[in-house]
Amino acid sequence: MHIGRYEFPQSLDEAAASIFNEGAVPLGGGAWTNAVSRPIHYALDLSDLGLRYIEDRGREVAIGAMATLRDIEISLTLDSAFCGIFSKALGHVVGVQLRNLVTAGGSVAGRYGFSDLNTVFLALGATVVFHDGATSSCAEFLEAPRNAPFLIKEIRVPKGSAASYQSLRVAANDFPILNVCVATAATEWRVSVGARPQAARLSLRAAEFLGLSDKPEDRAIQAGLLAAAELKFGDDTRGSAEYRRELCSVLVKRAVVEAGQRI
Amino acid sequence: MKISISVNGRNHRLEANPGTPLADTLRLLGYLEVKKACGTGNCGLCTVLLDDVPVPSCSVITGKASGHRVTTVRGLGKEADDLAACIVAEGVDQCGYCSPGFAVMAVAMKREFRRMGSLPNEEEIKHYLAGNLCRCSGYEGHLRALRRYLEAFK
Ligand SMILES: Cc1cc2nc3c(=O)[nH]c(=O)nc-3n(C[C@H](O)[C@H](O)[C@H](O)COP(=O)(O)OP(=O)(O)OC[C@H]3O[C@@H](n4cnc5c(N)ncnc54)[C@H](O)[C@@H]3O)c2cc1C
Ligand code: FES
Ligand code: FES
């Protein structure tokens, strides 16, 4: 991959100025950018911005854009706050060595259909925080058009949900055929489904249905069917739309039951 | 871009495209023990330590490694030699192409667990090494070699 100019900005403002005024391309781990191998005239390596952190801030946990997937996988802070679902979701992303490189910011920014992390962020009601403090809910961000440049500083994940993550892969470290995360806090439920193979989306109908019930676990099968009926699925080499739809109902059911047991 | 990298304790300064995969830069510098297969981060063959952390060098762009320390399997010295002896004793290798990446990853695993005052169990070994593919063997030999290697640290 040809890169013309390569710089390490020393502040978020400096990085933002280069991105917005000169069309510079921000790089997290650079692994996906390297895999797609498009020439870049001006690259900004975000390594010196101090964005590699995972901080417990009381009601939420903040994950810096440069935290690696391995940092997230083995974080004790995240493990205790979110029932271990981050390590379950990320433990099959290729191998430890790749997870040592790829970043939270790159994963969110890329809005990849196959992303395991984004499915979890979506179900937990995470917020994407940009360089200037502006915010967007993860749900809005994943659906927003991709035309304007942006710089992600961190992702904030509210604490207090019981959650479950489920996925199916052909081989243990392949892309998921489908992934699901269900989270619940008080009477509110959030059901997110990713790798459809398009990017993760919430099933509002399944969530609303679960919120109406005293014993939502008893209604897990119905919630799975509602999510499968509501969301769109597509074909690719890993599975057909129909297969994914079937899988969706099963994985949502399992996730609802498991999340319910963790309340 | 002017790149400066320390590889196995030796400093290199060179003019290079920062977007070149580190694996290619290392091989151009003569570190032919760094092997490359998939080129996308999937197989683990090209694993090196970047500031002591294992990464797939085919997926690290050279600009990112500038100013940092790289260790290839040859730079691991006795730790890699001891593991190599176990690999030979257990008859692990067929073509052997996956061995340099496997050895770097295995030593990184051993170091990481020793820092925490423990050694990995069977499940932890499988999890840690899941990113190292071998297209010849069925991994049983790798597990035997690792058990033998880790025995010495008990
Ligand atoms: C071989 C391979 C297999 C993978 N398999 C999986 C999988 O099974 N599941 C999974 O969840 N993920 C998988 N991933 C994706 C991985 O988890 C990351 O999502 C991906 O590599 C992007 O992270 P990065 O740090 O490499 O991003 P980069 O390549 O650095 O950046 C990706 C994009 O995000 C932009 N960007 C980066 N950081 C920021 C920022 N802070 N602000 C704004 N824009 C930014 C870049 O400009 C670029 O457009 C895989 C990746 C690879 C290479
Ligand atoms: S060649 Fe680098 S991971 Fe396969
Ligand atoms: S021995 Fe041939 S790839 Fe492993």
Side-chain angles (χ1 to χ4, degrees):
Chain A
M1 169 177 63
H2 178 76
I3 297 183
R5 220 167 126 192
Y6 194 91
E7 287 176 4
F8 292 85
Q10 299 299 306
S11 72
L12 274 170
D13 287 344
E14 190 191 323
S18 304
I19 292 167
F20 295 109
N21 304 334
E22 297 183 69
V25 176
L27 289 184
W32 192 260
T33 305
N34 174 61
V36 295
S37 201
R38 248 181 257 122
I40 297 178
H41 76 288
Y42 180 12
L44 287 187
D45 190 318
L46 307 182
S47 301
D48 288 352
L49 297 183
L51 297 181
R52 187 173 174 185
Y53 54 82
I54 296 173
E55 287 173 6
D56 190 333
R57 296 191 185 154
R59 290 191 175 175
E60 59 190 14
V61 178
I63 302 176
M66 292 300 283
T68 67
L69 263 51
R70 179 72 173 158
D71 295 337
I72 298 172
E73 177 194 359
I74 62 175
S75 159
L76 297 178
T77 303
L78 290 170
D79 191 54
S80 64
F82 301 105
C83 327
I85 59 165
F86 280 100
S87 55
K88 184 172 177 193
L90 301 183
H92 291 290
V93 176
V94 191
V96 167
Q97 54 273 70
L98 187 78
R99 301 200 291 278
N100 279 330
L101 180 63
V102 299
T103 60
S107 298
V108 174
R111 297 179 254 217
Y112 306 110
F114 54 75
S115 176
D116 292 286
L117 187 59
N118 292 350
T119 302
V120 174
F121 280 154
L122 189 56
L124 292 175
T127 300
V128 182
V129 182
F130 300 96
H131 70 283
D132 56 358
T135 60
S136 165
S137 73
C138 191
E140 277 167 8
F141 181 78
L142 290 179
E143 294 198 33
R146 294 163 184 247
N147 36 23
F150 57 87
L151 175 60
I152 297 174
K153 178 183 175 222
E154 64 185 23
I155 297 95
R156 291 187 195 145
V157 193
K159 285 165 52 175
S161 293
S164 166
Y165 172 85
Q166 307 285 328
S167 73
L168 188 80
R169 291 168 140 85
V170 178
N173 42 15
D174 191 11
F175 286 154
I177 307 174
L178 197 83
N179 56 33
V180 165
C181 187
V182 170
T184 177
T187 54
E188 196 195 338
W189 288 75
R190 294 171 70 90
V191 175
S192 96
V193 182
R196 300 170 297 117
Q198 298 88 347
R201 291 287 182 270
L202 291 170
S203 168
L204 302 179
R205 285 170 60 192
E208 189 186 3
F209 174 76
L210 289 165
L212 294 174
S213 170
D214 282 347
K215 282 199 157 190
E217 307 94 275
D218 295 346
R219 308 175 91 191
I221 294 177
Q222 186 62 19
L225 293 172
L226 283 170
E230 179 183 358
L231 296 170
K232 288 202 174 68
F233 299 89
D235 302 319
D236 68 4
T237 50
R238 289 179 180 78
S240 65
E242 271 327 288
Y243 181 59
R244 287 189 158 97
R245 194 176 300 286
E246 289 294 320
L247 206 53
C248 174
S249 59
V250 175
L251 296 186
V252 168
K253 179 191 82 178
R254 286 182 193 163
V256 169
V257 171
E258 192 173 77
Q261 287 163 351
R262 289 174 170 169
I263 292 173
Chain B
M1 175 183 176
K2 286 203 170 22
I3 308 275
S4 73
I5 323 182
S6 149
V7 187
N8 298 340
R10 192 169 156 217
N11 293 326
H12 295 273
R13 281 175 186 283
L14 60 148
E15 186 67 38
N17 165 19
T20 300
L22 177 61
D24 295 353
T25 302
L26 291 170
R27 287 182 63 84
L28 278 172
L29 289 171
Y31 297 93
L32 299 181
E33 69 274 25
V34 178
K35 305 298 180 198
K36 196 173 160 193
C38 71
T40 54
N42 278 293
C43 74
L45 251 77
C46 62
T47 304
V48 298
L49 302 183
L50 187 62
D51 296 336
D52 297 324
V53 176
V55 289
S57 61
C58 69
S59 300
V60 177
I61 51 178
T62 299
K64 200 168 250 311
S66 188
H68 294 272
R69 265 181 313 114
V70 175
T71 312
T72 73
V73 69
R74 269 203 283 166
L76 293 174
K78 185 173 177 329
E79 284 175 288
D81 292 345
D82 291 347
L83 178 60
C86 300
I87 289 175
V88 172
E90 294 294 346
V92 177
D93 277 348
Q94 290 184 35
C95 77
Y97 200 66
C98 62
S99 292
F102 169 70
V104 172
M105 202 59 191
V107 169
M109 172 181 71
K110 185 258 304 177
R111 288 180 178 178
E112 196 173 313
F113 277 84
R114 296 254 295 162
R115 268 200 303 277
M116 298 183 300
S118 67
L119 284 172
N121 62 30
E122 193 97 352
E123 280 314 303
E124 288 164 334
I125 292 174
K126 286 182 186 167
H127 185 77
Y128 204 95
L129 291 165
N132 288 78
L133 303 187
C134 170
R135 292 290 88 149
C136 301
S137 81
Y139 302 105
E140 286 301 321
H142 290 90
L143 279 172
R144 285 197 308 275
L146 277 171
R147 279 186 221 117
R148 186 187 271 253
Y149 176 61
L150 294 171
E151 199 57 39
F153 301 96
K154 282 188 176 157

